[in-house]
Amino acid sequence: MQLRRVITVLIMVTILVVPFVAFRVLPEIGDPNSAPNSHVTDYYIEHTISECNSPNMVTSIIVDYRAFDTMFETTVMFLSGVAVILILSNKPKKRDDMFRKFNPCTTNTGPSIFKTVNKDVMISIIEPLILIYAIYVLFHGEVSLGGGFQAGALIGMTYLLDVMVVKRKDRDIFNYSLERSVSVAGTGPFIYAVGGILGLIGGGLFMEFEAIPLPIEAPELHSIGILIVEVGVTVGVMCTIITILKAIMDRVSFDDDND
Amino acid sequence: MINAFLAQDGIYLLTVILLGLGLAGIIVCNNYMKKLICMNIMQVAVIFFFLCLGQKNGGTIPVAMDTIIHAADYINPLPHGLMLTAIVVSLGTTGVGLALLTRIWERFGTLEEDEIIQVKGEDEV
């Protein structure tokens, strides 16, 4: 215990002293000619409309210039959902079950949360607005601010709100089984890869959206490719959030379960 | 004076302090849930650090407009793109961490480190 405190103080002192030496090496904040702002990013900024037909540079970087990178980011999300299911998939041992019965969740944290929230406002007004915003963010991701990750997080958020607001017995209406949610989460990277393979079919490279075999001009093809990829990312992120939430909620008991 | 300090090196100092707080929390905290929260704080510090690097004086958001053509007038979009994926991956790591905590809770009935070590010692005897 004492050693812990000593190590912590040492780490904090080192971390606070090192900057005064090392900050001279780091680039100056706000300098347009500093190293991180000068090499490749000027190319991205100047060519984003002519090459990707996407005014939003962040979208054009993550799903067009670096699309291969983002494909595996989405796969990492899916794999984390699978990992959560695998960790929580065993049956608890009998001995541990006994242990759990001796230690039930007894801490009283006030009234149940679904009693304190107005369901009419939450479900019929706020959640549709969140969903509309999510769809807007998804389909306008290449034109204005937004993108697939944000849309997926927002749609996953509405499910989370539902779970928080509705009591456990009534959840069957919108319940999404674990197997289904994880398989839909796997569809996300698959849609993404299909977007890449469409370029191969047209005779181009993987993720080369200009080669998609459709009778449209090249700038529009970029928009279509970006949209396919964004839909894949959205589905992957959304269902991974739902998977993690459901896997943990199925396993844990809460004090308001029986209310 | 404080504005000038924050505009130059001070913002690096603040992110580094945040990183140190997360690291210290991981070492000091006795509760595994708090350790997980401190890990998230560390990730946020790294994200802030990268976003600092992308800043440009007088730059606007990285959405191309017809009236602005110079690259120096847009802030650097590359750190934003990289950190967007980092945020999502941190969500995945937090989910896996929570699943592990659930298993620990089922096995030991607690998340305090010293109590877990005690229960484990009783099991072995």
Side-chain angles (χ1 to χ4, degrees):
Chain A
M1 208 60 206
Q2 204 61 40
L3 186 65
R4 263 189 187 178
R5 307 249 177 254
V6 173
I7 291 174
T8 318
V9 169
L10 277 179
I11 286 176
M12 288 299 283
V13 167
T14 330
I15 277 178
L16 291 182
V17 167
V18 163
F20 287 102
V21 185
F23 279 173
R24 306 288 160 239
V25 186
L26 289 172
E28 206 174 313
I29 298 263
D31 179 15
N33 297 318
S34 65
N37 289 342
S38 58
H39 292 287
V40 74
T41 52
D42 286 348
Y43 180 86
Y44 287 150
I45 292 173
E46 281 157 7
H47 294 77
T48 176
I49 289 186
S50 60
E51 286 188 348
C52 302
N53 190 26
S54 149
N56 184 357
M57 295 157 197
V58 177
T59 306
S60 79
I61 284 176
I62 63 171
V63 299
D64 206 328
Y65 286 116
R66 289 162 183 256
F68 201 54
D69 200 8
T70 313
M71 182 170 128
F72 289 101
E73 299 277 0
T74 321
T75 317
V76 165
M77 272 307 280
F78 167 62
L79 287 180
S80 75
V82 174
V84 169
I85 287 186
L86 289 180
I87 289 170
L88 295 176
S89 64
N90 71 329
K91 280 185 182 162
K93 280 182 193 165
K94 270 232 174 80
R95 189 187 58 164
D96 298 344
D97 216 31
M98 266 172 58
F99 193 87
R100 252 199 303 178
K101 264 174 205 161
F102 286 126
N103 296 286
C105 187
T106 50
T107 38
N108 187 9
T109 51
S112 313
I113 195 161
F114 57 80
K115 284 180 188 162
T116 63
V117 179
N118 188 342
K119 277 200 267 303
D120 294 334
V121 173
M122 201 55 127
I123 295 182
S124 57
I125 297 178
I126 294 182
E127 284 186 3
L129 288 178
I130 295 178
L131 281 175
I132 290 169
Y133 184 59
I135 299 296
Y136 172 78
V137 159
L138 168 61
F139 284 96
H140 272 246
E142 81 235 35
V143 184
S144 63
L145 301 176
F149 287 111
Q150 294 93 322
L154 282 169
I155 300 176
M157 180 89 108
T158 49
Y159 187 85
L160 206 149
L161 274 177
D162 271 334
V163 168
M164 281 172 68
V165 164
V166 179
K167 59 180 168 180
R168 185 166 261 208
K169 284 176 206 158
D170 299 344
R171 276 182 210 150
D172 295 336
I173 306 168
F174 60 89
N175 220 346
Y176 207 51
S177 78
L178 200 54
E179 294 82 8
R180 193 176 297 169
S181 72
V182 74
S183 46
V184 176
T187 323
F190 178 74
I191 296 173
Y192 201 125
V194 165
I197 289 170
L198 282 180
L200 282 180
I201 292 173
L205 298 171
F206 191 67
M207 293 285 173
E208 189 179 350
F209 297 135
E210 282 176 24
I212 292 177
L214 283 176
I216 318 175
E217 288 179 20
E220 292 296 315
L221 283 177
H222 266 286
S223 297
I224 288 176
I226 288 175
L227 187 64
I228 293 173
V229 161
E230 297 267 24
V231 168
V233 171
T234 305
V235 171
V237 171
M238 170 185 81
C239 285
T240 307
I241 291 176
I242 295 176
T243 306
I244 293 173
L245 183 73
K246 274 217 57 99
I248 294 175
M249 293 282 282
D250 284 352
R251 189 75 181 236
V252 185
S253 61
F254 293 95
D255 54 347
D256 57 357
D257 279 346
N258 301 319
D259 289 1
Chain B
M1 182 202 148
I2 194 158
N3 276 341
F5 178 66
L6 285 181
Q8 298 302 317
D9 288 347
I11 198 78
Y12 285 133
L13 188 69
L14 289 183
T15 54
V16 164
I17 287 176
L18 200 60
L19 185 84
L21 278 179
L23 204 60
I26 288 181
I27 297 170
V28 165
C29 285
N30 200 26
N31 189 309
Y32 284 138
M33 192 71 205
K34 288 181 185 169
K35 281 182 201 261
L36 191 65
I37 294 170
C38 289
M39 194 185 80
N40 269 319
I41 292 175
M42 269 176 73
Q43 285 168 337
V44 169
V46 173
I47 288 167
F48 280 164
F49 177 73
F50 270 79
L51 291 187
C52 289
L53 294 179
Q55 193 59 35
K56 281 181 193 169
N57 282 337
T60 180
I61 53 169
V63 175
M65 284 169 251
D66 297 336
T67 49
I68 309 174
I69 46 170
H70 294 295
D73 292 333
Y74 295 105
I75 58 171
N76 190 346
L78 192 55
H80 294 78
L82 296 179
M83 289 308 107
L84 184 63
T85 48
I87 290 169
V88 175
V89 170
S90 85
L91 197 147
T93 54
T94 310
V96 175
L98 284 174
L100 287 170
L101 291 190
T102 312
R103 286 296 298 275
I104 292 174
W105 170 265
E106 284 178 357
R107 173 69 183 78
F108 296 102
T110 175
L111 288 180
E112 304 287 331
E113 198 175 54
D114 46 358
E115 291 177 21
I116 288 174
I117 292 171
Q118 203 184 342
V119 173
K120 220 169 167 247
E122 285 169 8
D123 277 6
E124 280 163 5
V125 172

Coordinates of all heavy atoms in Angstrom, one line a residue, chain A residues 76-154:
Chain A
V76 N -12.7 -4.2 -35.4 CA -12.4 -4.3 -34.0 C -13.6 -4.1 -33.1 O -13.8 -4.7 -32.1 CB -11.3 -3.2 -33.8 CG1 -11.2 -2.9 -32.3 CG2 -10.0 -3.6 -34.3
M77 N -14.5 -3.1 -33.6 CA -15.7 -2.9 -32.8 C -16.5 -4.2 -32.7 O -17.0 -4.6 -31.6 CB -16.6 -1.9 -33.5 CG -16.3 -0.5 -33.1 SD -16.3 -0.3 -31.3 CE -18.1 -0.2 -31.1
F78 N -16.7 -4.9 -33.9 CA -17.5 -6.1 -33.9 C -16.8 -7.2 -33.0 O -17.5 -7.9 -32.3 CB -17.6 -6.6 -35.4 CG -18.0 -8.0 -35.5 CD1 -19.3 -8.4 -35.1 CD2 -17.2 -9.0 -36.1 CE1 -19.7 -9.7 -35.2 CE2 -17.6 -10.3 -36.2 CZ -18.9 -10.6 -35.8
L79 N -15.5 -7.3 -33.1 CA -14.8 -8.3 -32.3 C -14.9 -8.0 -30.8 O -15.0 -8.9 -30.0 CB -13.3 -8.3 -32.7 CG -13.0 -9.0 -34.0 CD1 -11.5 -8.9 -34.3 CD2 -13.5 -10.4 -34.0
S80 N -15.0 -6.7 -30.4 CA -15.2 -6.4 -29.0 C -16.5 -6.8 -28.6 O -16.7 -7.4 -27.4 CB -15.0 -4.9 -28.7 OG -16.1 -4.2 -29.2
G81 N -17.6 -6.7 -29.4 CA -18.9 -7.2 -29.1 C -18.8 -8.7 -28.9 O -19.4 -9.3 -28.0
V82 N -18.1 -9.5 -29.8 CA -18.0 -10.9 -29.7 C -17.3 -11.3 -28.5 O -17.6 -12.2 -27.8 CB -17.3 -11.5 -31.0 CG1 -17.0 -12.9 -30.8 CG2 -18.1 -11.2 -32.2
A83 N -16.2 -10.5 -28.1 CA -15.5 -10.8 -26.9 C -16.3 -10.7 -25.7 O -16.3 -11.5 -24.8 CB -14.3 -9.9 -26.8
V84 N -17.2 -9.6 -25.6 CA -18.1 -9.5 -24.5 C -19.0 -10.7 -24.4 O -19.2 -11.2 -23.3 CB -18.9 -8.2 -24.6 CG1 -20.0 -8.1 -23.6 CG2 -18.0 -7.0 -24.4
I85 N -19.5 -11.2 -25.5 CA -20.4 -12.3 -25.4 C -19.7 -13.6 -25.0 O -20.2 -14.3 -24.1 CB -21.1 -12.6 -26.8 CG1 -22.1 -11.5 -27.1 CG2 -21.7 -13.9 -26.9 CD1 -22.8 -11.7 -28.3
L86 N -18.5 -13.7 -25.5 CA -17.7 -14.9 -25.1 C -17.3 -14.9 -23.6 O -17.4 -15.9 -22.9 CB -16.4 -15.1 -25.9 CG -16.7 -15.4 -27.4 CD1 -15.3 -15.5 -28.1 CD2 -17.4 -16.7 -27.5
I87 N -17.0 -13.7 -23.1 CA -16.6 -13.6 -21.7 C -17.9 -14.0 -20.8 O -17.7 -14.6 -19.8 CB -16.1 -12.2 -21.4 CG1 -14.7 -12.0 -22.0 CG2 -16.0 -12.0 -19.9 CD1 -14.3 -10.6 -21.9
L88 N -19.0 -13.6 -21.3 CA -20.2 -13.7 -20.4 C -21.1 -14.9 -20.8 O -22.2 -15.0 -20.4 CB -21.1 -12.4 -20.5 CG -20.4 -11.2 -19.9 CD1 -21.3 -10.0 -20.1 CD2 -20.2 -11.4 -18.4
S89 N -20.5 -15.8 -21.7 CA -21.4 -16.9 -22.2 C -21.5 -18.1 -21.3 O -22.4 -18.9 -21.6 CB -20.9 -17.2 -23.6 OG -19.7 -17.8 -23.5
N90 N -20.6 -18.3 -20.4 CA -20.7 -19.5 -19.6 C -21.8 -19.5 -18.6 O -22.3 -18.4 -18.3 CB -19.3 -19.7 -18.9 CG -19.2 -18.8 -17.7 OD1 -19.6 -17.7 -17.8 ND2 -18.5 -19.2 -16.7
K91 N -22.1 -20.6 -18.1 CA -23.1 -20.6 -17.0 C -22.3 -20.5 -15.7 O -21.3 -21.1 -15.5 CB -23.9 -22.0 -16.9 CG -24.9 -22.1 -18.0 CD -25.7 -23.4 -17.8 CE -26.8 -23.4 -18.9 NZ -27.2 -24.8 -19.1
P92 N -22.9 -19.7 -14.8 CA -22.2 -19.5 -13.5 C -22.1 -20.8 -12.7 O -23.0 -21.6 -12.8 CB -23.0 -18.5 -12.7 CG -23.9 -17.9 -13.7 CD -24.1 -18.8 -14.8
K93 N -20.9 -21.0 -12.1 CA -20.8 -22.3 -11.3 C -21.8 -22.3 -10.2 O -22.2 -21.3 -9.6 CB -19.4 -22.4 -10.8 CG -18.3 -22.8 -11.8 CD -17.0 -22.9 -11.1 CE -15.9 -23.1 -12.1 NZ -14.6 -22.8 -11.5
K94 N -22.1 -23.5 -9.7 CA -23.1 -23.6 -8.6 C -22.5 -23.0 -7.4 O -23.2 -22.2 -6.7 CB -23.3 -25.1 -8.3 CG -24.4 -25.7 -9.1 CD -25.4 -26.4 -8.2 CE -26.6 -26.9 -8.9 NZ -26.4 -28.2 -9.6
R95 N -21.2 -23.2 -7.1 CA -20.6 -22.6 -5.9 C -20.7 -21.1 -5.9 O -21.1 -20.4 -5.0 CB -19.2 -23.0 -5.9 CG -18.5 -22.7 -4.6 CD -17.0 -23.0 -4.7 NE -16.4 -22.2 -5.8 CZ -15.1 -22.0 -6.0 NH1 -14.3 -22.6 -5.1 NH2 -14.7 -21.3 -7.0
D96 N -20.5 -20.5 -7.1 CA -20.5 -19.0 -7.2 C -22.0 -18.5 -7.1 O -22.2 -17.5 -6.6 CB -19.9 -18.6 -8.6 CG -18.5 -19.0 -8.7 OD1 -17.9 -19.3 -7.6 OD2 -17.9 -19.0 -9.8
D97 N -22.9 -19.4 -7.6 CA -24.3 -19.0 -7.5 C -24.7 -18.9 -6.0 O -25.4 -18.0 -5.6 CB -25.1 -20.1 -8.2 CG -26.3 -19.5 -8.9 OD1 -26.2 -18.3 -9.3 OD2 -27.4 -20.1 -9.0
M98 N -24.2 -19.9 -5.2 CA -24.5 -19.8 -3.8 C -23.9 -18.5 -3.2 O -24.6 -17.8 -2.5 CB -23.9 -21.0 -3.1 CG -24.8 -22.2 -2.9 SD -23.9 -23.6 -2.3 CE -23.2 -22.9 -0.8
F99 N -22.7 -18.2 -3.7 CA -22.1 -17.0 -3.2 C -22.9 -15.8 -3.5 O -23.0 -14.9 -2.7 CB -20.7 -16.9 -3.8 CG -19.8 -15.9 -3.2 CD1 -19.0 -16.2 -2.1 CD2 -19.8 -14.6 -3.7 CE1 -18.2 -15.3 -1.5 CE2 -19.0 -13.7 -3.1 CZ -18.2 -14.0 -2.0
R100 N -23.5 -15.8 -4.7 CA -24.3 -14.6 -5.1 C -25.5 -14.5 -4.3 O -26.0 -13.4 -4.0 CB -24.7 -14.8 -6.6 CG -23.9 -13.8 -7.5 CD -24.6 -13.7 -8.8 NE -24.7 -14.9 -9.4 CZ -25.4 -15.0 -10.6 NH1 -25.9 -13.9 -11.2 NH2 -25.5 -16.2 -11.2
K101 N -26.1 -15.7 -3.9 CA -27.3 -15.6 -3.1 C -27.0 -15.0 -1.7 O -27.9 -14.3 -1.1 CB -27.9 -17.0 -2.9 CG -29.0 -17.2 -4.0 CD -29.5 -18.6 -3.9 CE -30.1 -18.9 -5.3 NZ -30.2 -20.4 -5.5
F102 N -25.8 -15.2 -1.2 CA -25.5 -14.6 0.1 C -25.2 -13.2 0.0 O -25.3 -12.4 0.9 CB -24.2 -15.4 0.7 CG -24.6 -16.7 1.2 CD1 -23.9 -17.8 0.8 CD2 -25.6 -16.9 2.1 CE1 -24.2 -19.1 1.3 CE2 -25.9 -18.1 2.6 CZ -25.2 -19.2 2.2
N103 N -24.9 -12.7 -1.2 CA -24.6 -11.3 -1.4 C -25.5 -10.7 -2.4 O -25.1 -10.3 -3.5 CB -23.1 -11.1 -1.9 CG -22.2 -11.6 -0.9 OD1 -21.9 -10.9 0.1 ND2 -21.6 -12.7 -1.1
P104 N -26.8 -10.6 -2.2 CA -27.7 -10.0 -3.2 C -27.5 -8.5 -3.2 O -26.9 -7.9 -2.3 CB -29.1 -10.4 -2.7 CG -28.9 -10.5 -1.2 CD -27.5 -11.0 -0.9
C105 N -28.0 -7.9 -4.3 CA -27.8 -6.5 -4.4 C -28.8 -5.8 -3.5 O -30.0 -5.7 -3.7 CB -28.1 -6.1 -5.9 SG -27.7 -4.4 -6.2
T106 N -28.3 -5.2 -2.4 CA -29.3 -4.7 -1.4 C -29.2 -3.2 -1.3 O -30.0 -2.6 -0.6 CB -28.9 -5.3 0.0 OG1 -27.5 -5.1 0.2 CG2 -29.3 -6.7 0.1
T107 N -28.2 -2.6 -1.9 CA -28.1 -1.1 -1.7 C -29.3 -0.4 -2.4 O -29.6 -0.6 -3.5 CB -26.8 -0.6 -2.4 OG1 -26.6 -1.3 -3.6 CG2 -25.6 -0.8 -1.5
N108 N -29.9 0.4 -1.6 CA -31.1 1.1 -2.1 C -30.7 2.5 -2.6 O -30.1 3.3 -1.9 CB -32.1 1.3 -0.9 CG -33.4 1.8 -1.4 OD1 -33.6 1.9 -2.6 ND2 -34.3 2.2 -0.5
T109 N -30.9 2.6 -3.9 CA -30.5 3.9 -4.6 C -31.7 4.8 -4.9 O -31.7 5.5 -5.9 CB -29.7 3.6 -5.9 OG1 -30.5 2.7 -6.6 CG2 -28.4 3.0 -5.6
G110 N -32.7 4.8 -4.1 CA -33.8 5.6 -4.3 C -34.8 5.0 -5.2 O -34.7 3.8 -5.5
P111 N -35.8 5.7 -5.7 CA -36.9 5.1 -6.5 C -36.3 4.6 -7.9 O -35.3 5.2 -8.3 CB -37.8 6.3 -6.8 CG -37.1 7.5 -6.4 CD -36.1 7.1 -5.4
S112 N -36.9 3.6 -8.5 CA -36.4 3.1 -9.7 C -36.4 4.2 -10.8 O -37.3 5.1 -10.8 CB -37.3 2.0 -10.2 OG -37.6 1.1 -9.1
I113 N -35.5 4.0 -11.7 CA -35.3 5.2 -12.7 C -36.5 5.3 -13.6 O -36.8 6.4 -14.0 CB -33.9 5.0 -13.4 CG1 -33.6 6.3 -14.1 CG2 -34.0 3.9 -14.4 CD1 -32.2 6.4 -14.4
F114 N -37.1 4.2 -13.9 CA -38.3 4.3 -14.9 C -39.5 5.0 -14.2 O -40.4 5.4 -14.9 CB -38.6 3.0 -15.5 CG -39.0 1.9 -14.5 CD1 -40.3 1.9 -13.9 CD2 -38.1 0.9 -14.1 CE1 -40.6 0.9 -13.0 CE2 -38.4 0.0 -13.2 CZ -39.7 -0.1 -12.7
K115 N -39.5 5.1 -12.9 CA -40.5 5.8 -12.2 C -40.3 7.3 -12.2 O -41.2 8.1 -12.1 CB -40.7 5.3 -10.8 CG -41.4 4.0 -10.7 CD -41.5 3.5 -9.3 CE -42.0 2.1 -9.2 NZ -41.7 1.6 -7.8
T116 N -39.0 7.7 -12.3 CA -38.7 9.1 -12.2 C -38.7 9.8 -13.5 O -38.6 11.0 -13.6 CB -37.3 9.3 -11.5 OG1 -36.3 8.7 -12.4 CG2 -37.2 8.6 -10.2
V117 N -38.8 9.0 -14.6 CA -38.7 9.6 -16.0 C -40.1 9.6 -16.6 O -40.8 8.6 -16.5 CB -37.7 8.8 -16.9 CG1 -37.6 9.4 -18.2 CG2 -36.3 8.8 -16.2
N118 N -40.4 10.7 -17.3 CA -41.7 10.7 -18.0 C -41.6 10.0 -19.3 O -40.9 10.4 -20.2 CB -42.0 12.2 -18.2 CG -43.4 12.4 -18.8 OD1 -44.0 11.4 -19.2 ND2 -44.0 13.6 -18.7
K119 N -42.2 8.8 -19.3 CA -42.1 8.0 -20.5 C -42.7 8.6 -21.8 O -42.1 8.5 -22.9 CB -42.8 6.6 -20.3 CG -41.9 5.6 -19.5 CD -42.4 4.2 -19.7 CE -43.3 3.8 -18.6 NZ -42.8 3.9 -17.3
D120 N -43.8 9.3 -21.6 CA -44.4 9.9 -22.8 C -43.5 10.9 -23.5 O -43.3 10.9 -24.7 CB -45.7 10.6 -22.4 CG -46.7 9.6 -21.9 OD1 -46.6 8.5 -22.3 OD2 -47.6 10.0 -21.1
V121 N -42.8 11.7 -22.7 CA -41.9 12.7 -23.3 C -40.7 12.0 -23.9 O -40.3 12.2 -25.0 CB -41.4 13.7 -22.2 CG1 -40.4 14.6 -22.8 CG2 -42.6 14.5 -21.8
M122 N -40.2 11.0 -23.1 CA -38.9 10.4 -23.6 C -39.1 9.6 -24.8 O -38.3 9.8 -25.8 CB -38.4 9.5 -22.4 CG -37.0 9.2 -22.5 SD -36.1 10.7 -22.5 CE -34.9 10.4 -21.2
I123 N -40.1 8.7 -24.9 CA -40.2 7.8 -26.0 C -40.9 8.5 -27.2 O -40.5 8.2 -28.3 CB -41.0 6.5 -25.6 CG1 -40.2 5.8 -24.5 CG2 -41.3 5.6 -26.7 CD1 -40.9 4.5 -24.0
S124 N -41.9 9.3 -26.9 CA -42.6 9.8 -28.1 C -42.1 11.2 -28.6 O -42.4 11.5 -29.7 CB -44.1 10.0 -27.8 OG -44.3 10.8 -26.7
I125 N -41.3 11.9 -27.9 CA -40.7 13.1 -28.4 C -39.2 13.1 -28.6 O -38.7 13.4 -29.6 CB -41.1 14.3 -27.5 CG1 -42.7 14.5 -27.4 CG2 -40.5 15.6 -27.9 CD1 -43.1 15.5 -26.5
I126 N -38.5 12.7 -27.5 CA -37.0 12.9 -27.6 C -36.4 11.8 -28.5 O -35.6 12.1 -29.3 CB -36.4 12.8 -26.2 CG1 -36.9 14.0 -25.4 CG2 -34.9 12.8 -26.2 CD1 -36.4 14.1 -24.0
E127 N -36.9 10.6 -28.4 CA -36.3 9.5 -29.2 C -36.5 9.7 -30.7 O -35.5 9.5 -31.4 CB -36.7 8.1 -28.7 CG -36.1 7.8 -27.4 CD -36.4 6.4 -27.0 OE1 -37.1 5.7 -27.7 OE2 -35.9 6.0 -25.9
P128 N -37.7 10.0 -31.2 CA -37.8 10.3 -32.6 C -36.8 11.4 -33.1 O -36.2 11.3 -34.2 CB -39.2 10.7 -32.8 CG -39.9 10.1 -31.7 CD -39.0 10.1 -30.6
L129 N -36.7 12.4 -32.2 CA -35.8 13.5 -32.6 C -34.3 13.0 -32.7 O -33.6 13.4 -33.7 CB -35.9 14.7 -31.6 CG -37.2 15.5 -31.7 CD1 -37.2 16.6 -30.6 CD2 -37.3 16.1 -33.1
I130 N -33.9 12.2 -31.8 CA -32.6 11.6 -31.8 C -32.4 10.8 -33.1 O -31.4 10.9 -33.8 CB -32.3 10.8 -30.6 CG1 -32.3 11.7 -29.3 CG2 -30.9 10.1 -30.7 CD1 -32.0 10.9 -28.1
L131 N -33.4 10.0 -33.4 CA -33.3 9.1 -34.6 C -33.3 10.0 -35.9 O -32.5 9.7 -36.8 CB -34.5 8.2 -34.7 CG -34.4 7.0 -33.8 CD1 -35.7 6.2 -33.8 CD2 -33.2 6.1 -34.2
I132 N -34.1 11.0 -36.0 CA -34.0 11.9 -37.2 C -32.6 12.5 -37.3 O -32.1 12.5 -38.4 CB -35.1 13.0 -37.1 CG1 -36.5 12.4 -37.2 CG2 -34.9 14.0 -38.2 CD1 -37.6 13.4 -36.9
Y133 N -32.1 13.0 -36.2 CA -30.8 13.5 -36.2 C -29.7 12.5 -36.6 O -28.8 12.8 -37.4 CB -30.4 14.1 -34.8 CG -29.1 14.8 -34.8 CD1 -28.9 15.9 -35.6 CD2 -28.1 14.4 -33.9 CE1 -27.7 16.5 -35.5 CE2 -26.9 15.0 -33.9 CZ -26.7 16.1 -34.7 OH -25.5 16.7 -34.6
A134 N -29.9 11.3 -36.2 CA -28.9 10.2 -36.5 C -29.0 10.0 -38.0 O -27.9 9.8 -38.7 CB -29.2 8.9 -35.8
I135 N -30.2 9.9 -38.6 CA -30.3 9.6 -40.0 C -29.7 10.8 -40.8 O -29.0 10.6 -41.8 CB -31.8 9.4 -40.4 CG1 -32.4 8.2 -39.7 CG2 -32.0 9.2 -41.9 CD1 -31.7 6.9 -40.0
Y136 N -30.0 12.0 -40.3 CA -29.4 13.2 -41.0 C -27.9 13.1 -41.0 O -27.2 13.4 -42.0 CB -29.9 14.5 -40.3 CG -29.2 15.7 -40.8 CD1 -29.6 16.3 -42.0 CD2 -28.2 16.3 -40.1 CE1 -29.0 17.4 -42.4 CE2 -27.6 17.4 -40.5 CZ -28.0 18.0 -41.7 OH -27.3 19.1 -42.2
V137 N -27.3 12.8 -39.8 CA -25.9 12.8 -39.7 C -25.3 11.7 -40.6 O -24.2 11.8 -41.2 CB -25.5 12.5 -38.2 CG1 -24.2 11.9 -38.1 CG2 -25.6 13.8 -37.4
L138 N -26.1 10.6 -40.7 CA -25.6 9.5 -41.6 C -25.6 9.9 -43.1 O -24.5 9.8 -43.7 CB -26.4 8.2 -41.4 CG -26.3 7.1 -42.4 CD1 -24.9 6.6 -42.3 CD2 -27.2 6.0 -42.1
F139 N -26.7 10.4 -43.6 CA -26.8 10.7 -45.0 C -26.1 12.0 -45.4 O -25.8 12.2 -46.6 CB -28.2 10.7 -45.4 CG -28.8 9.3 -45.5 CD1 -29.5 8.7 -44.5 CD2 -28.5 8.5 -46.6 CE1 -30.0 7.5 -44.6 CE2 -29.0 7.2 -46.7 CZ -29.7 6.7 -45.7
H140 N -25.9 12.9 -44.4 CA -25.2 14.1 -44.8 C -23.7 14.1 -44.3 O -23.1 15.1 -44.2 CB -25.9 15.4 -44.2 CG -26.9 15.9 -45.1 ND1 -26.8 17.1 -45.6 CD2 -28.1 15.3 -45.5 CE1 -27.9 17.3 -46.4 NE2 -28.7 16.3 -46.4
G141 N -23.2 12.9 -44.0 CA -21.9 12.8 -43.4 C -20.8 13.3 -44.3 O -19.8 13.8 -43.9
E142 N -21.0 13.2 -45.7 CA -20.0 13.6 -46.6 C -20.1 15.1 -46.9 O -19.2 15.7 -47.5 CB -20.0 12.8 -47.8 CG -21.0 13.2 -48.9 CD -21.9 12.0 -49.3 OE1 -22.2 11.2 -48.4 OE2 -22.2 12.0 -50.4
V143 N -21.3 15.7 -46.7 CA -21.5 17.1 -47.1 C -21.3 18.0 -45.9 O -20.6 19.0 -46.0 CB -23.0 17.3 -47.6 CG1 -23.2 18.7 -48.1 CG2 -23.3 16.3 -48.7
S144 N -21.8 17.7 -44.7 CA -21.6 18.6 -43.6 C -21.0 17.7 -42.5 O -20.5 16.6 -42.7 CB -23.0 19.2 -43.1 OG -23.8 18.1 -42.7
L145 N -21.0 18.2 -41.3 CA -20.4 17.5 -40.2 C -21.2 16.2 -39.9 O -22.4 16.2 -39.9 CB -20.3 18.4 -38.9 CG -19.5 19.7 -39.1 CD1 -19.6 20.5 -37.9 CD2 -18.1 19.4 -39.5
G146 N -20.5 15.2 -39.6 CA -21.1 13.9 -39.2 C -20.4 12.7 -39.8 O -19.3 12.9 -40.3
G147 N -21.1 11.6 -39.8 CA -20.5 10.4 -40.3 C -21.1 9.1 -39.7 O -22.0 9.2 -38.9
G148 N -20.5 8.0 -40.1 CA -21.1 6.7 -39.7 C -21.0 6.4 -38.2 O -21.9 5.9 -37.6
F149 N -19.8 6.7 -37.6 CA -19.6 6.4 -36.2 C -20.6 7.2 -35.3 O -21.2 6.6 -34.4 CB -18.2 6.8 -35.8 CG -17.2 5.9 -36.3 CD1 -16.3 6.3 -37.3 CD2 -17.1 4.5 -35.9 CE1 -15.3 5.4 -37.8 CE2 -16.1 3.7 -36.4 CZ -15.2 4.1 -37.3
Q150 N -20.8 8.4 -35.6 CA -21.7 9.3 -34.8 C -23.1 8.8 -34.9 O -23.9 8.7 -33.9 CB -21.6 10.7 -35.2 CG -20.3 11.4 -35.0 CD -19.4 11.3 -36.2 OE1 -19.4 10.3 -36.9 NE2 -18.6 12.3 -36.4
A151 N -23.5 8.5 -36.2 CA -24.9 8.0 -36.4 C -25.1 6.7 -35.6 O -26.2 6.5 -35.0 CB -25.2 7.8 -37.9
G152 N -24.2 5.8 -35.7 CA -24.3 4.5 -35.0 C -24.4 4.7 -33.5 O -25.2 4.1 -32.8
A153 N -23.6 5.6 -33.0 CA -23.6 5.9 -31.5 C -25.0 6.4 -31.1 O -25.6 6.1 -30.1 CB -22.5 6.8 -31.1
L154 N -25.6 7.3 -32.0 CA -26.9 7.9 -31.7 C -28.0 6.9 -31.7 O -28.8 6.9 -30.8 CB -27.2 9.0 -32.6 CG -26.4 10.4 -32.4 CD1 -26.6 11.3 -33.6 CD2 -27.0 11.0 -31.2

